[in-house]
Amino acid sequence: MTYGYARCSTNETKQDIDRQKRELRKMGATEIYFEYESGATLNRPELNKILNHVRHGDTIITTEVSRITRSLKQLCDIIELCKMRNLKLIIGTLIIDCTGPMDAMTEAMLKIMGVFAELERSMTIERIQSGLAHAKAKGVRLGRPRLSVRDIPKKVTETFNLYRSGQLSKSDYARLCGISRPTLYKYIALMTDG
């Protein structure tokens, strides 16, 4: 069996995983697993399904090392699994055949690729943290924009007097407006302060 694995860090509205799927089909994947998870997350359900299903002689295909993992330790664990189960691991154009003894140079090259995938992730995190610190130093307000009375849904403002007069409990008020209680609390605070 030939398993393909595709991964993006954010959901389908922000990242398109179809390119990876197309490439995996071209590379010979007969069954494709995909998910939207960070490559540094060690416990990924779809990857775990593949790793639990693969048997002697099966093949795992991914488009690049960073798609399967951004953790060198996890990559080393996957390499060991491939050796134990005599699997083939195809990462882009690199074919790692573990159905026999693995070539030392191939294993070293694969681990170096893993180091760079992990390094790339660390550098991205550093750039994000630096950018946030810079924005904060310039006085930019980070996080969600503050709510104002204009942001309150019409249904909430229309039924506010029923709540204020005691005709509606907070739970009934939230249910009637179709919002959660914590959201309602924010709206009530805005309406009573404003």
Side-chain angles (χ1 to χ4, degrees):
M1 186 67 134
T2 305
Y3 297 94
Y5 179 73
R7 181 195 63 76
C8 284
S9 296
T10 56
N11 65 33
E12 60 276 0
T13 61
K14 294 183 181 175
Q15 285 186 304
D16 185 5
I17 207 165
D18 290 338
R19 178 193 57 82
Q20 287 181 61
K21 290 181 189 176
R22 277 192 308 276
E23 287 180 27
L24 291 171
R25 281 189 204 93
K26 283 181 189 174
M27 295 165 73
T30 52
E31 200 168 315
I32 296 175
Y33 291 77
F34 66 95
E35 60 194 333
Y36 295 91
E37 287 280 348
S38 166
T41 302
L42 298 179
N43 188 14
R44 285 176 271 144
E46 296 303 304
L47 178 60
N48 288 341
K49 283 180 190 175
I50 293 174
L51 299 178
N52 291 330
H53 284 93
V54 287
R55 300 290 174 252
H56 179 87
D58 285 348
T59 302
I60 300 173
I61 302 174
T62 190
T63 57
E64 55 191 77
V65 170
S66 65
R67 294 304 95 206
I68 201 161
T69 186
R70 285 197 181 267
S71 158
L72 181 59
K73 182 193 180 313
Q74 186 177 37
L75 179 62
C76 290
D77 291 344
I78 291 169
I79 292 168
E80 288 307 309
L81 177 82
C82 289
K83 287 179 181 176
M84 284 179 357
R85 296 198 187 158
N86 298 98
L87 305 172
K88 223 183 232 184
L89 180 61
I90 300 174
I91 299 175
T93 57
L94 182 64
I95 299 171
I96 302 101
D97 191 348
C98 298
T99 55
M102 183 187 270
D103 173 81
M105 191 61 118
T106 303
E107 185 170 354
M109 184 60 151
L110 184 57
K111 288 179 180 176
I112 289 169
M113 290 166 67
V115 167
F116 280 107
E118 193 170 295
L119 175 66
E120 182 183 30
R121 179 179 182 275
S122 297
M123 288 171 62
T124 300
I125 289 170
E126 284 177 8
R127 281 192 301 271
I128 290 169
Q129 289 173 339
S130 173
L132 290 172
H134 179 68
K136 196 172 183 181
K138 286 174 50 179
V140 174
R141 187 177 181 281
L142 303 173
R144 290 183 179 186
R146 292 185 188 207
L147 285 176
S148 72
V149 176
R150 290 186 308 268
D151 299 316
I152 300 172
K154 190 176 179 183
K155 182 83 172 175
V156 175
T157 56
E158 287 175 347
T159 51
F160 179 66
N161 287 332
L162 290 174
Y163 161 72
R164 190 175 238 173
S165 67
Q167 295 175 42
L168 282 176
S169 68
K170 282 185 181 173
S171 295
D172 291 336
Y173 188 15
R175 200 174 307 113
L176 180 68
C177 295
I179 58 175
S180 68
R181 281 182 59 158
T183 300
L184 177 66
Y185 298 156
K186 290 176 195 171
Y187 293 155
I188 290 172
L190 280 172
M191 289 186 288
T192 53
D193 290 343

